[in-house]
Amino acid sequence: MIKFLDLHKLNLRFEAEFQEKFKQFLDSGFYILGEQVTNFEKQFANYCGSKYCIGVGNGLDALVLIFKAYLELGWLKKNDEIIVPANTFIASILAIEEVGLKPILVEPDVETYNISATNIENYMTPRTRAILIVHLYGQLAHMKAINALAQQNDLIVIEDAAQAHGAVNNEGIKSGNLGHVAAFSFYPTKNLGALGDAGAVTTNNKHLSDTIKKLRNYGSSSKYTYDHIGRNSRLDEIQAVFLSVKLKALDSDNRKRQEIAKYYLSKIKNQKIELPFYDMSKSHVFYAFVVRVKRRQEFMDYLEENQIETLVHYPIPPHMQKALSHLNSLSLPATEAIHNDIVSLPMSPVLTFGEVEIITNVINRYS
Ligand SMILES: *Cc1c(COP(=O)(O)O)cnc(C)c1O
């Protein structure tokens, strides 16, 4: 069986260094908000090119803490409208809902799966205050046009960079540094994944950084002094240790993903399979390699019979979920069409080219 993503194999590459660093961690006797978190925050801020990084519990919390900080600072108010792609992972929308803001679901561009400045403009109202951009599947959205639109209309730009660690635009600017603030998830399957839950926020804004630093730790400014109604969402020391080790491999891992994508794109030749758009640059780090095919289940069953595991990112769009019943009446035909025929092919830095070749040949025989 060729796995969609072999996490065990992925992390085994770091076994010796993990064990050495784990021993140091154990000997330190320090578990929460210590040197390891501070070190990783510095490394990750430096990697993204942003001034500040705040380690938090997971990607959803990174988003929630960003919105909470804007509310605490008075830069957003309850019920403000937040633009968000309709075809995102549900966490992006949950974060907006959780803090009493109003998500405005925008149809994506069917070529890139990302929202564009033109689409965004169609959904803007006088109550629109922020845009939550999601670099879906690892591909950067067209931030130049989006940032220009945001600037003209005095909107906050937040990146959900949970699928785009290390993606870099043609000016050399990385995800995490393409808006006012960014949320990252280090869920184990992400391009940079911990060995458990973890997340981070990056920004160049000191007020925002200071506020989020307090909010992740009960709203505390110093021990037992509280400035805000915060939560407990801290990055664990041990996860920071693992992340520091794995961060060093992120660029080469992303290059491997891009090479696999290039192989799929040049070698998959089957009229039934629609391949994704890729401009061959570093602006796409292929968290997922997503093809489109009619009668998806048939295709997935065929691959399964041929010992190839696939996934769907994601089978049901957020506005059609029971949890978001107040959005169920929205009409989002492009989003619904996408969710009906997308399939994610195996993609990871530990996939071998032998496996990629097998997958390609099996797909080319699909009829
Ligand atoms: C994974 C993901 C999240 C949530 O991250 P968690 O760490 O699982 O909470 C948010 N947004 C997007 C786009 C994601 O892919």
Side-chain angles (χ1 to χ4, degrees):
M1 189 77 181
I2 299 176
K3 285 192 178 178
F4 177 77
L5 166 60
D6 189 340
L7 276 179
H8 179 247
K9 187 175 177 189
L10 187 109
N11 286 318
L12 213 54
R13 300 178 296 162
F14 307 101
E15 187 179 7
E17 201 174 352
F18 280 168
Q19 277 177 345
E20 181 195 327
K21 295 283 163 65
F22 178 79
K23 179 77 171 76
Q24 289 169 13
F25 159 78
L26 197 62
D27 289 343
S28 81
F30 212 99
Y31 312 117
I32 300 283
L33 292 188
E35 225 169 68
Q36 300 299 335
V37 168
T38 307
N39 284 345
F40 174 71
E41 286 173 340
K42 280 192 192 134
Q43 291 159 3
F44 196 63
N46 189 45
Y47 177 83
C48 294
S50 63
K51 278 193 189 145
Y52 310 104
C53 170
I54 308 102
V56 300
N58 55 67
L60 173 60
D61 280 359
L63 289 164
V64 169
L65 289 167
I66 287 169
F67 287 119
K68 269 184 178 290
Y70 275 114
L71 288 160
E72 288 291 319
L73 289 164
W75 301 347
L76 284 177
K77 304 236 169 348
K78 294 265 169 196
N79 296 315
D80 279 351
E81 291 180 359
I82 314 296
I83 296 271
V84 62
N87 59 324
T88 183
F89 179 57
I90 196 166
S92 324
I93 295 165
L94 292 182
I96 299 170
E97 294 273 350
E98 181 174 333
V99 298
L101 295 163
K102 192 171 173 214
I104 302 297
L105 276 55
V106 172
E107 291 264 62
D109 177 342
V110 290
E111 190 177 53
T112 62
Y113 303 111
N114 281 327
I115 55 174
S116 65
T118 321
N119 292 355
I120 292 168
E121 228 174 341
N122 291 335
Y123 291 84
M124 276 170 40
T125 77
R127 315 243 337 236
T128 307
R129 291 293 302 125
I131 305 169
L132 177 57
I133 282 295
V134 183
H135 307 301
L136 202 70
Y137 307 142
Q139 181 168 219
L140 293 181
H142 289 298
M143 296 305 291
K144 216 174 188 157
I146 291 167
N147 281 327
L149 178 71
Q151 200 162 13
Q152 277 162 27
N153 294 279
D154 200 20
L155 304 178
I156 294 163
V157 178
I158 302 163
E159 294 174 81
D160 179 340
Q163 302 187 357
H165 319 67
V168 43
N169 74 6
N170 55 13
E171 287 163 36
I173 305 171
K174 285 205 183 92
S175 69
N177 198 21
L178 289 164
H180 294 112
V181 61
F184 285 91
S185 163
F186 305 120
Y187 183 77
T189 64
K190 308 284 165 145
N191 293 44
L192 177 59
L195 275 67
D197 277 313
V201 174
T202 56
T203 183
N204 292 319
N205 187 306
K206 188 165 193 313
H207 295 294
L208 206 55
S209 170
D210 288 347
T211 307
I212 292 169
K213 241 181 189 156
K214 290 187 269 180
L215 287 174
R216 75 167 169 190
N217 193 26
Y218 310 117
S220 150
S221 51
S222 62
K223 204 168 173 83
Y224 305 132
T225 309
Y226 306 99
D227 296 355
H228 308 279
I229 295 183
R231 61 163 62 192
N232 175 355
S233 184
R234 300 172 297 221
L235 174 62
D236 279 342
E237 283 284 285
I238 188 59
Q239 296 303 343
V241 167
F242 295 142
L243 286 167
S244 287
V245 171
K246 290 184 74 177
L247 179 59
K248 291 180 281 180
L250 178 57
D251 283 342
S252 61
D253 278 2
N254 282 341
R255 275 197 299 277
K256 176 83 186 280
R257 289 173 183 272
Q258 287 156 352
E259 283 167 24
I260 293 169
K262 284 178 184 169
Y263 187 100
Y264 279 147
L265 284 166
S266 65
K267 298 279 167 62
I268 295 178
K269 290 191 166 53
N270 185 327
Q271 294 207 324
K272 293 200 159 171
I273 313 299
E274 192 183 320
L275 295 167
F277 168 80
Y278 177 35
D279 68 2
M280 303 290 157
S281 77
K282 292 186 200 163
S283 67
H284 196 334
V285 290
F286 287 96
Y287 170 67
F289 188 92
V290 176
V291 301
R292 294 184 70 171
V293 54
K294 302 284 170 216
R295 295 199 298 276
R296 164 172 72 203
Q297 198 52 51
E298 244 170 63
F299 178 63
M300 291 178 76
D301 291 346
Y302 165 81
L303 291 179
E304 168 99 38
E305 281 158 25
N306 284 280
Q307 306 295 308
I308 296 163
E309 188 184 19
T310 53
L311 287 182
V312 178
H313 294 91
Y314 301 92
I316 306 169
H319 74 280
M320 294 172 78
Q321 301 282 354
K322 191 169 140 198
L324 299 172
S325 56
H326 56 292
L327 303 177
N328 287 174
S329 58
L330 288 177
S331 168
L332 296 157
T335 298
E336 287 161 29
I338 288 169
H339 283 75
N340 281 334
D341 34 83
I342 46 174
V343 179
S344 305
L345 301 186
M347 171 56 83
S348 90
V350 290
L351 200 62
T352 68
F353 281 99
E355 290 171 320
V356 177
E357 191 183 344
I358 293 170
I359 296 163
T360 302
N361 291 338
V362 168
I363 292 176
N364 285 345
R365 286 199 306 269
Y366 178 64
S367 58

